[in-house]
Each structure stands twice: as structure tokens, then as C-alpha cells.
Amino acid sequence: VQLQASGGGLVQAGGSLRLSCAASGSNFRSYALGWFRQAPGKKREFVGAVSLGGVSESIADSVKGRFSVSRDNAENTAYLQMNSLKPEDTAVYYCAATHNTWGLPGTAVTPPPSDVYVTWGQGTLVTVSS
């Protein structure tokens, strides 16, 4: 599967953006999707993830209550809805795909670490001004 992230841009603090992650190629439904971000001079960090079929979702504590993740298997697209944006949310945001089956009945309840993701999109820059 190939991933293309889009939707980034410049927004004022308190504003909203919705990032999209469009997939092409192999069966989108067989992948769990994750969102990560990397701010200048900082390590990449987990933002959110949605499991196979959208059964389960996970959001990082740092953005909980403001961000949400979803997927539309019919459109081969995953989304990251970002509300109440803060300057500290400024980063390049990446979507990634893994065959990991977290979130399904009888499996892990939390998404895997970033090194389990096999395909990464090119990233989209989000800049939040104060």
C-alpha cells in the first residue's frame, strides 16, 4: 500500500484542521493506520491510531479530547481531525500502515510502536500560530 497524507497548513491557535491519508495499492482494509508527528528538534511521537476495520481507536494523552481518528474503507482513506489546535501541535504529521491486528477481540488493546508500521506517507506540515 502507498500512503499520501494531505490537509496540513497554517492555522491560528484554537482552529481546526482535518488531515487525510489516502491509500492506493494493496487492500486498505488489511491495514491498521497510525498517525505520528515530529516537531523540529524533537523525536517522532505517536498521535493516534485506528485498527483494522475501525473497530478500535487510540489517541495520545497529549491530544486527547482535541484530536480524533477515523477511517473510511470505502474511500481507502484515514483521517485525523484536529480541533482546538495549539502552537505546540506544530509539526510534520505522518500517516503509516501496519498489518498489526491490535484492537480486535482477543488482541492487544493498544496500538503497536512506530517500528511495526511498514509503510509511511510523505508527511504534511501543520503550523499553528499563536
Side-chain angles (χ1 to χ4, degrees), residues 44-96:
R44 183 172 59 195
E45 66 171 343
F46 169 78
V47 177
V50 56
S51 67
L52 295 175
V55 174
S56 298
E57 300 166 9
S58 177
I59 293 290
D61 288 343
S62 59
V63 300
K64 194 165 290 182
R66 300 188 296 121
F67 290 15
S68 62
V69 294
S70 62
R71 64 188 295 164
D72 184 338
N73 286 339
E75 296 294 328
N76 284 2
T77 303
Y79 301 98
L80 178 66
Q81 178 67 44
M82 306 186 296
N83 300 326
S84 302
L85 283 162
K86 304 176 180 180
E88 52 263 43
D89 294 320
T90 294
V92 177
Y93 284 72
Y94 300 89
C95 60

Side-chain angles (χ1 to χ4, degrees), residues 70-130:
S70 62
R71 64 188 295 164
D72 184 338
N73 286 339
E75 296 294 328
N76 284 2
T77 303
Y79 301 98
L80 178 66
Q81 178 67 44
M82 306 186 296
N83 300 326
S84 302
L85 283 162
K86 304 176 180 180
E88 52 263 43
D89 294 320
T90 294
V92 177
Y93 284 72
Y94 300 89
C95 60
T98 175
H99 283 299
N100 186 281
T101 59
W102 81 275
L104 299 183
T107 67
V109 298
T110 57
S114 60
D115 57 359
V116 176
Y117 289 80
V118 296
T119 301
W120 291 78
Q122 85 288 3
T124 185
L125 176 63
V126 172
T127 303
V128 184
S129 63
S130 57

